Amino acid sequence: MQTPNFEMPTEMRDFAEKSVDQARNAVGTMMANAVKVAEQAQASGQTFQSAVSAAIAKGFDHAQANANATFDFAQKLARTKDLREAFEVQSEFVRSQFAALQAQAKDYGALAQNAAR
């Protein structure tokens, strides 16, 4: 018994070949987009990490400056001779610390803006 010879029609072969090409292109595009997303995520992660590191370093700088100002204030206060002089030293300290806190808040605002970019 002879097996029948079945030949795939040309239109079906063309259709199958086009389908494979389209699937290959679709997967290639999907993979390329996935790589781009991964690279962007990595870059964003590095940017975020840099921003956090900068904020932490700035925080330590501000903490050290505030501690130094507080120790200077305590030393000046210990050297005062009367209540009026102590009040003046305290008033100056409050003014200078308020200005320092404003400047520090601006620093953090600038860091936040840079991180948002």
Side-chain angles (χ1 to χ4, degrees):
M1 181 173 217
Q2 210 175 21
T3 54
N5 188 6
F6 179 75
E7 189 173 319
M8 183 83 71
T10 306
E11 294 84 16
M12 270 185 110
R13 284 193 312 249
D14 290 346
F15 178 76
E17 192 173 328
K18 286 179 186 177
S19 294
V20 170
D21 287 342
Q22 287 174 349
R24 183 187 312 270
N25 289 337
V27 169
T29 301
M30 181 187 73
M31 294 302 289
N33 288 337
V35 168
K36 285 180 187 177
V37 167
E39 289 171 348
Q40 289 172 346
Q42 185 178 14
S44 294
Q46 289 171 345
T47 301
F48 178 76
Q49 185 178 9
S50 295
V52 169
S53 294
I56 290 170
K58 189 63 73 174
F60 283 127
D61 290 346
H62 290 163
Q64 184 65 51
N66 292 338
N68 289 341
T70 301
F71 285 123
D72 291 346
F73 162 69
Q75 191 173 42
K76 287 178 185 177
L77 191 61
R79 293 179 182 161
T80 60
K81 296 178 183 146
D82 58 28
L83 207 52
R84 181 194 57 76
E85 188 179 357
F87 182 72
E88 288 174 6
V89 168
Q90 183 181 10
S91 295
E92 175 56 34
F93 174 71
V94 169
R95 277 193 299 277
S96 67
Q97 281 306 105
F98 186 72
L101 288 174
Q102 285 179 322
Q104 291 167 5
K106 285 181 184 179
D107 287 346
Y108 286 122
L111 284 172
Q113 285 180 343
N114 288 340
R117 293 182 195 148

